[in-house]
Amino acid sequence: MEGGWSWEQKTLMSELIEGMEFAKQLRVHLGSTSSVETTDVLVQRILSSYEKALLILKWPGSGSTTVQAQQANIGAAVVNCCVPESPISINGSPTSDDIDGVFKDNLDHQENSKKRKTQSRWTDKVRVSFESGLEGPHEDGFSWRKYGQKDILAAKYPRSYYRCTYRNTQNCRATKQVQRSDEDPTIFEVTYIGTHTCSHGQAAQSVPQPPSPEKQEKRLNHHNSNNNNNYQQQQQQSQDILSNLRKGLSVNTNGLDNREMEPPFTFPSTSFGYTRTGDHCFSPSMLDENTFLGFSSTYTSPSTPESNYFLCQMNSFGDAQGFEASLPELLSANNSSANSPILNMDFSLDPAEIDPNFLL
DNA sequence: GGAATTTGACCTTA
DNA sequence: TAAGGTCAAATTCC
């Protein structure tokens, strides 16, 4: 398998291995200087994350665009193919046109199609395993309200239209369309249009919880919604998480405290493989500490059963873009960053400490 | 009773 | 003018 790996993939693997080695060394070091039990727990979790990341990369199917859950406790696989229906900049952020479109759209509430054209728009593909008990895409962290359904010409399944629940109260213009794939009914193509301007994004979910997947499934049945996130929000959340991390670091640098630790990592029972491919990606040089940490945090988070385990995977072209692009998504996949174990992890990772050549 | 979904009609675009 | 997208009243659910 490794024979077909691209340079980026090999580099990624190398970096992960190296990081794991560093963590091991840290454990040895801390073991000699500190008797705090949590230290070892933390390091164990670091190692666990690395090991599982490596495991993912080593999966035989990781060279395809489809992520199949290959562990018994991964009930559903999410294929997240980011189809750039509008240009996405190299770092995954919407282009200036996208931003302009959103901005103008916010100024002018009388949305028309021309403006819609300029909105950021991308498509994710979500594979959902029927074995998981869910028949539709899992929640993507935002609160959506279905406002329409339409039979599409030449499509076997109708298309469902969703808009942000807070459209009226906060004038959030984000919408999404969910279309079940003709070829593979287990795949839902989710097209996101516009960005969330509401303050009830994913992070807000820790307050008013949206309907559970079970509830949503009960309601939506066949035309379920969801998956994935708004990219800008992901970026913002990446920043938020980093900010929280740094706050935590101020505690950390004073020594390991007695904050309650999350239970050891376990794969959630209803989890999703997850891949994002296409141009909605980072270049290796754009992979900053946010995405790195986000990967770890989400990867290890068992907090939200419907959206917790997201598998990064190389795309079919063998590069690392899909993997990298999925990182911000991984960040926000976990609905509440407060639930992310990494926020409880007391290790320091300042931007200055990040190897600027990470993945290079 | 409030909130979410359904669905037919209407609007916009190519 | 057909197809996609949205609106809004009716319906359903909690």
Tab-separated table of all heavy atoms in Angstrom, chain A residues 44-87:
chain	number	residue	atom	x	y	z
A	44	GLN	N	-0.588	9.461	27.286
A	44	GLN	CA	-1.212	8.271	26.712
A	44	GLN	C	-2.211	8.650	25.632
A	44	GLN	O	-2.317	8.006	24.597
A	44	GLN	CB	-1.922	7.477	27.807
A	44	GLN	CG	-0.981	6.699	28.710
A	44	GLN	CD	-0.345	5.514	27.984
A	44	GLN	OE1	-0.622	5.259	26.825
A	44	GLN	NE2	0.533	4.807	28.681
A	45	ARG	N	-2.888	9.693	25.905
A	45	ARG	CA	-3.896	10.097	24.922
A	45	ARG	C	-3.256	10.681	23.678
A	45	ARG	O	-3.757	10.525	22.566
A	45	ARG	CB	-4.852	11.093	25.571
A	45	ARG	CG	-5.690	10.411	26.623
A	45	ARG	CD	-6.531	11.379	27.362
A	45	ARG	NE	-7.466	12.075	26.474
A	45	ARG	CZ	-8.428	12.864	26.907
A	45	ARG	NH1	-8.584	13.060	28.196
A	45	ARG	NH2	-9.225	13.450	26.062
A	46	ILE	N	-2.177	11.367	23.889
A	46	ILE	CA	-1.450	11.855	22.714
A	46	ILE	C	-1.030	10.683	21.851
A	46	ILE	O	-1.226	10.652	20.639
A	46	ILE	CB	-0.209	12.660	23.140
A	46	ILE	CG1	-0.645	13.929	23.876
A	46	ILE	CG2	0.646	13.002	21.933
A	46	ILE	CD1	0.514	14.689	24.491
A	47	LEU	N	-0.469	9.701	22.521
A	47	LEU	CA	-0.005	8.526	21.794
A	47	LEU	C	-1.166	7.798	21.134
A	47	LEU	O	-1.060	7.318	20.011
A	47	LEU	CB	0.734	7.585	22.761
A	47	LEU	CG	2.037	8.145	23.324
A	47	LEU	CD1	2.613	7.204	24.371
A	47	LEU	CD2	3.043	8.370	22.201
A	48	SER	N	-2.244	7.745	21.860
A	48	SER	CA	-3.418	7.075	21.312
A	48	SER	C	-3.879	7.752	20.037
A	48	SER	O	-4.212	7.111	19.045
A	48	SER	CB	-4.544	7.064	22.354
A	48	SER	OG	-5.716	6.500	21.805
A	49	SER	N	-3.870	9.060	20.081
A	49	SER	CA	-4.288	9.805	18.895
A	49	SER	C	-3.358	9.519	17.718
A	49	SER	O	-3.805	9.278	16.597
A	49	SER	CB	-4.294	11.297	19.201
A	49	SER	OG	-5.301	11.597	20.114
A	50	TYR	N	-2.108	9.569	18.010
A	50	TYR	CA	-1.146	9.296	16.941
A	50	TYR	C	-1.318	7.893	16.396
A	50	TYR	O	-1.303	7.659	15.187
A	50	TYR	CB	0.269	9.478	17.473
A	50	TYR	CG	0.745	10.895	17.438
A	50	TYR	CD1	1.108	11.553	18.605
A	50	TYR	CD2	0.831	11.584	16.234
A	50	TYR	CE1	1.553	12.862	18.576
A	50	TYR	CE2	1.271	12.897	16.191
A	50	TYR	CZ	1.637	13.532	17.368
A	50	TYR	OH	2.076	14.807	17.331
A	51	GLU	N	-1.453	6.975	17.282
A	51	GLU	CA	-1.551	5.589	16.829
A	51	GLU	C	-2.774	5.381	15.955
A	51	GLU	O	-2.729	4.721	14.928
A	51	GLU	CB	-1.614	4.665	18.047
A	51	GLU	CG	-0.254	4.565	18.732
A	51	GLU	CD	-0.377	3.930	20.113
A	51	GLU	OE1	-1.506	3.619	20.520
A	51	GLU	OE2	0.661	3.764	20.771
A	52	LYS	N	-3.844	5.961	16.377
A	52	LYS	CA	-5.065	5.782	15.594
A	52	LYS	C	-5.013	6.546	14.284
A	52	LYS	O	-5.556	6.119	13.274
A	52	LYS	CB	-6.266	6.181	16.428
A	52	LYS	CG	-6.534	5.184	17.530
A	52	LYS	CD	-7.776	5.542	18.320
A	52	LYS	CE	-8.114	4.414	19.282
A	52	LYS	NZ	-7.028	4.158	20.234
A	53	ALA	N	-4.357	7.685	14.325
A	53	ALA	CA	-4.175	8.419	13.077
A	53	ALA	C	-3.378	7.592	12.089
A	53	ALA	O	-3.697	7.512	10.903
A	53	ALA	CB	-3.478	9.747	13.351
A	54	LEU	N	-2.372	6.969	12.608
A	54	LEU	CA	-1.558	6.109	11.762
A	54	LEU	C	-2.354	4.918	11.264
A	54	LEU	O	-2.222	4.494	10.124
A	54	LEU	CB	-0.320	5.629	12.537
A	54	LEU	CG	0.721	6.711	12.807
A	54	LEU	CD1	1.748	6.234	13.811
A	54	LEU	CD2	1.401	7.114	11.511
A	55	LEU	N	-3.168	4.424	12.151
A	55	LEU	CA	-4.002	3.293	11.765
A	55	LEU	C	-4.893	3.660	10.588
A	55	LEU	O	-5.063	2.900	9.637
A	55	LEU	CB	-4.846	2.852	12.958
A	55	LEU	CG	-5.765	1.659	12.705
A	55	LEU	CD1	-4.928	0.421	12.422
A	55	LEU	CD2	-6.673	1.428	13.896
A	56	ILE	N	-5.449	4.860	10.686
A	56	ILE	CA	-6.306	5.323	9.600
A	56	ILE	C	-5.537	5.387	8.291
A	56	ILE	O	-5.984	4.946	7.248
A	56	ILE	CB	-6.877	6.700	9.943
A	56	ILE	CG1	-7.870	6.572	11.095
A	56	ILE	CG2	-7.559	7.318	8.733
A	56	ILE	CD1	-8.247	7.906	11.699
A	57	LEU	N	-4.363	5.964	8.407
A	57	LEU	CA	-3.576	6.120	7.198
A	57	LEU	C	-3.182	4.789	6.602
A	57	LEU	O	-2.979	4.653	5.401
A	57	LEU	CB	-2.322	6.941	7.509
A	57	LEU	CG	-2.583	8.416	7.785
A	57	LEU	CD1	-1.301	9.083	8.256
A	57	LEU	CD2	-3.112	9.106	6.550
A	58	LYS	N	-3.087	3.821	7.456
A	58	LYS	CA	-2.655	2.505	6.987
A	58	LYS	C	-3.796	1.646	6.488
A	58	LYS	O	-3.576	0.568	5.969
A	58	LYS	CB	-1.918	1.768	8.114
A	58	LYS	CG	-0.554	2.367	8.406
A	58	LYS	CD	0.086	1.651	9.582
A	58	LYS	CE	1.462	2.214	9.863
A	58	LYS	NZ	2.078	1.601	11.054
A	59	TRP	N	-4.991	2.159	6.672
A	59	TRP	CA	-6.115	1.354	6.217
A	59	TRP	C	-6.013	1.073	4.733
A	59	TRP	O	-5.720	1.952	3.940
A	59	TRP	CB	-7.421	2.103	6.499
A	59	TRP	CG	-7.924	1.811	7.855
A	59	TRP	CD1	-7.393	0.966	8.776
A	59	TRP	CD2	-9.059	2.404	8.476
A	59	TRP	NE1	-8.131	0.983	9.920
A	59	TRP	CE2	-9.164	1.860	9.759
A	59	TRP	CE3	-10.005	3.325	8.061
A	59	TRP	CZ2	-10.169	2.204	10.634
A	59	TRP	CZ3	-11.011	3.670	8.927
A	59	TRP	CH2	-11.085	3.107	10.210
A	60	PRO	N	-6.320	-0.163	4.372
A	60	PRO	CA	-6.200	-0.544	2.967
A	60	PRO	C	-7.053	0.320	2.063
A	60	PRO	O	-6.699	0.588	0.943
A	60	PRO	CB	-6.700	-1.995	2.945
A	60	PRO	CG	-6.487	-2.490	4.331
A	60	PRO	CD	-6.682	-1.303	5.220
A	61	GLY	N	-8.186	0.725	2.509
A	61	GLY	CA	-9.089	1.467	1.645
A	61	GLY	C	-8.821	2.950	1.620
A	61	GLY	O	-9.553	3.708	1.025
A	62	SER	N	-7.771	3.338	2.274
A	62	SER	CA	-7.558	4.766	2.401
A	62	SER	C	-7.117	5.435	1.125
A	62	SER	O	-6.921	6.624	1.085
A	62	SER	CB	-6.540	5.039	3.500
A	62	SER	OG	-5.308	4.506	3.114
A	63	GLY	N	-6.999	4.699	0.096
A	63	GLY	CA	-6.614	5.342	-1.141
A	63	GLY	C	-7.788	5.686	-2.030
A	63	GLY	O	-7.655	6.283	-3.069
A	64	SER	N	-8.954	5.339	-1.597
A	64	SER	CA	-10.116	5.619	-2.409
A	64	SER	C	-10.829	6.835	-1.872
A	64	SER	O	-10.497	7.383	-0.850
A	64	SER	CB	-11.070	4.431	-2.388
A	64	SER	OG	-11.648	4.313	-1.120
A	65	THR	N	-11.823	7.246	-2.600
A	65	THR	CA	-12.567	8.406	-2.164
A	65	THR	C	-13.631	8.021	-1.170
A	65	THR	O	-14.272	8.859	-0.578
A	65	THR	CB	-13.242	9.080	-3.352
A	65	THR	OG1	-14.045	8.113	-4.007
A	65	THR	CG2	-12.216	9.639	-4.299
A	66	THR	N	-13.819	6.750	-1.004
A	66	THR	CA	-14.840	6.311	-0.074
A	66	THR	C	-14.188	5.739	1.171
A	66	THR	O	-13.311	4.914	1.114
A	66	THR	CB	-15.713	5.221	-0.713
A	66	THR	OG1	-16.360	5.797	-1.843
A	66	THR	CG2	-16.750	4.734	0.262
A	67	VAL	N	-14.655	6.228	2.259
A	67	VAL	CA	-14.144	5.715	3.520
A	67	VAL	C	-15.125	4.686	4.031
A	67	VAL	O	-16.258	4.945	4.261
A	67	VAL	CB	-14.020	6.838	4.553
A	67	VAL	CG1	-13.567	6.263	5.879
A	67	VAL	CG2	-13.037	7.875	4.061
A	68	GLN	N	-14.660	3.537	4.168
A	68	GLN	CA	-15.507	2.508	4.730
A	68	GLN	C	-15.102	2.290	6.168
A	68	GLN	O	-13.937	2.173	6.497
A	68	GLN	CB	-15.349	1.199	3.954
A	68	GLN	CG	-15.864	1.267	2.538
A	68	GLN	CD	-17.373	1.401	2.473
A	68	GLN	OE1	-18.057	1.242	3.479
A	68	GLN	NE2	-17.898	1.711	1.314
A	69	ALA	N	-16.070	2.243	6.990
A	69	ALA	CA	-15.765	1.973	8.383
A	69	ALA	C	-15.236	0.566	8.474
A	69	ALA	O	-15.905	-0.383	8.137
A	69	ALA	CB	-17.015	2.134	9.214
A	70	GLN	N	-14.010	0.459	8.901
A	70	GLN	CA	-13.400	-0.855	8.932
A	70	GLN	C	-13.209	-1.351	10.342
A	70	GLN	O	-12.609	-2.386	10.566
A	70	GLN	CB	-12.065	-0.809	8.190
A	70	GLN	CG	-12.281	-0.466	6.725
A	70	GLN	CD	-11.003	-0.643	5.955
A	70	GLN	OE1	-10.109	-1.330	6.387
A	70	GLN	NE2	-10.917	-0.032	4.804
A	71	GLN	N	-13.713	-0.606	11.243
A	71	GLN	CA	-13.690	-1.117	12.598
A	71	GLN	C	-15.129	-1.334	13.018
A	71	GLN	O	-16.033	-0.651	12.609
A	71	GLN	CB	-13.024	-0.109	13.521
A	71	GLN	CG	-11.546	0.029	13.196
A	71	GLN	CD	-10.833	0.765	14.299
A	71	GLN	OE1	-11.440	1.126	15.298
A	71	GLN	NE2	-9.561	0.981	14.104
A	72	ALA	N	-15.314	-2.315	13.828
A	72	ALA	CA	-16.666	-2.702	14.192
A	72	ALA	C	-17.423	-1.564	14.843
A	72	ALA	O	-18.639	-1.457	14.723
A	72	ALA	CB	-16.622	-3.892	15.142
A	73	ASN	N	-16.727	-0.718	15.532
A	73	ASN	CA	-17.420	0.345	16.232
A	73	ASN	C	-17.536	1.613	15.411
A	73	ASN	O	-17.940	2.636	15.897
A	73	ASN	CB	-16.734	0.650	17.567
A	73	ASN	CG	-15.266	0.926	17.350
A	73	ASN	OD1	-14.786	0.843	16.224
A	73	ASN	ND2	-14.580	1.252	18.416
A	74	ILE	N	-17.196	1.531	14.187
A	74	ILE	CA	-17.439	2.654	13.302
A	74	ILE	C	-18.643	2.288	12.466
A	74	ILE	O	-18.564	1.578	11.496
A	74	ILE	CB	-16.229	2.948	12.418
A	74	ILE	CG1	-15.047	3.269	13.322
A	74	ILE	CG2	-16.521	4.092	11.486
A	74	ILE	CD1	-13.776	3.498	12.544
A	75	GLY	N	-19.767	2.783	12.857
A	75	GLY	CA	-21.009	2.324	12.266
A	75	GLY	C	-21.284	2.883	10.904
A	75	GLY	O	-21.905	2.253	10.066
A	76	ALA	N	-20.846	4.052	10.643
A	76	ALA	CA	-21.169	4.661	9.376
A	76	ALA	C	-19.956	5.351	8.823
A	76	ALA	O	-19.074	5.768	9.537
A	76	ALA	CB	-22.295	5.669	9.543
A	77	ALA	N	-19.930	5.407	7.557
A	77	ALA	CA	-18.811	6.077	6.928
A	77	ALA	C	-19.315	7.309	6.212
A	77	ALA	O	-20.361	7.301	5.595
A	77	ALA	CB	-18.134	5.129	5.936
A	78	VAL	N	-18.574	8.331	6.324
A	78	VAL	CA	-18.941	9.552	5.649
A	78	VAL	C	-17.959	9.805	4.538
A	78	VAL	O	-16.772	9.849	4.745
A	78	VAL	CB	-18.913	10.745	6.609
A	78	VAL	CG1	-19.176	12.029	5.850
A	78	VAL	CG2	-19.921	10.520	7.706
A	79	VAL	N	-18.468	9.911	3.386
A	79	VAL	CA	-17.625	10.292	2.278
A	79	VAL	C	-17.833	11.769	2.088
A	79	VAL	O	-18.907	12.216	1.768
A	79	VAL	CB	-18.032	9.570	0.992
A	79	VAL	CG1	-17.099	9.961	-0.123
A	79	VAL	CG2	-18.008	8.085	1.231
A	80	ASN	N	-16.803	12.474	2.275
A	80	ASN	CA	-16.974	13.899	2.166
A	80	ASN	C	-16.143	14.413	1.031
A	80	ASN	O	-14.994	14.725	1.176
A	80	ASN	CB	-16.550	14.565	3.471
A	80	ASN	CG	-17.611	15.510	3.900
A	80	ASN	OD1	-18.313	16.048	3.060
A	80	ASN	ND2	-17.728	15.700	5.179
A	81	CYS	N	-16.733	14.466	-0.082
A	81	CYS	CA	-16.012	14.961	-1.228
A	81	CYS	C	-16.414	16.397	-1.449
A	81	CYS	O	-17.527	16.678	-1.804
A	81	CYS	CB	-16.349	14.142	-2.465
A	81	CYS	SG	-15.961	12.415	-2.250
A	82	CYS	N	-15.480	17.233	-1.210
A	82	CYS	CA	-15.763	18.640	-1.365
A	82	CYS	C	-15.706	18.980	-2.827
A	82	CYS	O	-14.661	19.031	-3.426
A	82	CYS	CB	-14.739	19.452	-0.629
A	82	CYS	SG	-15.490	20.382	0.627
A	83	VAL	N	-16.802	19.208	-3.387
A	83	VAL	CA	-16.845	19.592	-4.783
A	83	VAL	C	-16.917	21.101	-4.859
A	83	VAL	O	-17.884	21.702	-4.454
A	83	VAL	CB	-18.069	18.988	-5.484
A	83	VAL	CG1	-18.091	19.403	-6.926
A	83	VAL	CG2	-18.045	17.479	-5.335
A	84	PRO	N	-15.898	21.687	-5.329
A	84	PRO	CA	-15.861	23.142	-5.350
A	84	PRO	C	-16.740	23.706	-6.434
A	84	PRO	O	-16.322	23.850	-7.560
A	84	PRO	CB	-14.391	23.445	-5.611
A	84	PRO	CG	-13.894	22.275	-6.390
A	84	PRO	CD	-14.716	21.090	-5.942
A	85	GLU	N	-17.919	24.017	-6.088
A	85	GLU	CA	-18.809	24.587	-7.085
A	85	GLU	C	-18.533	26.063	-7.272
A	85	GLU	O	-18.977	26.693	-8.206
A	85	GLU	CB	-20.257	24.352	-6.671
A	85	GLU	CG	-20.544	22.866	-6.617
A	85	GLU	CD	-21.971	22.595	-6.268
A	85	GLU	OE1	-22.796	23.506	-6.355
A	85	GLU	OE2	-22.272	21.459	-5.904
A	86	SER	N	-17.842	26.626	-6.334
A	86	SER	CA	-17.287	27.945	-6.547
A	86	SER	C	-15.853	27.853	-6.109
A	86	SER	O	-15.480	27.009	-5.321
A	86	SER	CB	-18.028	28.994	-5.726
A	86	SER	OG	-17.750	28.832	-4.372
A	87	PRO	N	-15.046	28.709	-6.660
A	87	PRO	CA	-13.621	28.598	-6.353
A	87	PRO	C	-13.369	28.716	-4.867
A	87	PRO	O	-13.912	29.567	-4.192
A	87	PRO	CB	-13.004	29.781	-7.110
A	87	PRO	CG	-13.987	30.111	-8.160
A	87	PRO	CD	-15.329	29.788	-7.578
